Amino acid sequence: MKWNLRWAAAKRDIWRPSDLLPVFEAVGFTPSLSKVAALWSGKPISVRLDDLDKICAALDCTVADLLEAEPVAVADGNRDQAKRAVGDGGAPSGPVRPTPRRSGQRRSLPPN
């Protein structure tokens, strides 16, 4: 996900995290300046839904304005597999289940 708080704030002529505090307080959202600075400076690991709702109300935007889906980074070897839809019926790239090793001897029975 891409976090677009700066873009949503810029649409309202807000260019610094300290300028967000009065806008947030107007809707009843009172985070600390350090929390606002953390939201401003990078992508948060988690955001409470009620906080997200208050941020959207303060900036007069939607959740889709703040969060934008990005394609997931895929290793080069799995690129074709990532593009294939689940259940598309294509041949799997490897065995579906691991196959047991058979060494010619039968397994011993467990102790009584």
Side-chain angles (χ1 to χ4, degrees):
M1 293 301 258
K2 184 176 179 184
W3 179 244
N4 294 322
L5 178 66
R6 284 184 176 202
W7 179 80
K11 286 174 56 177
R12 294 206 54 213
D13 250 359
I14 298 171
W15 304 102
R16 293 181 299 199
S18 60
D19 296 339
L20 275 175
L21 283 175
V23 176
F24 285 165
E25 289 173 358
V27 295
F29 182 44
T30 55
S32 65
L33 181 58
S34 62
K35 182 175 179 175
V36 173
L39 290 171
W40 183 268
S41 65
K43 180 170 58 173
I45 300 298
S46 64
V47 178
R48 292 178 40 168
L49 292 178
D50 58 336
D51 291 349
L52 188 62
D53 198 25
K54 291 174 184 175
I55 292 169
C56 289
L59 296 176
D60 193 29
C61 65
T62 65
V63 174
D65 294 332
L66 290 175
L67 296 171
E68 182 180 335
E70 290 182 316
V72 178
V74 180
D76 290 336
N78 295 333
R79 189 168 298 201
D80 295 333
Q81 186 175 358
K83 292 180 183 177
R84 197 175 78 219
V86 174
D88 71 347
S93 61
V96 176
R97 292 181 153 191
T99 55
R101 295 182 189 169
R102 305 279 175 160
S103 63
Q105 292 182 357
R106 295 185 67 177
R107 290 186 179 178
S108 63
L109 294 174
N112 288 338

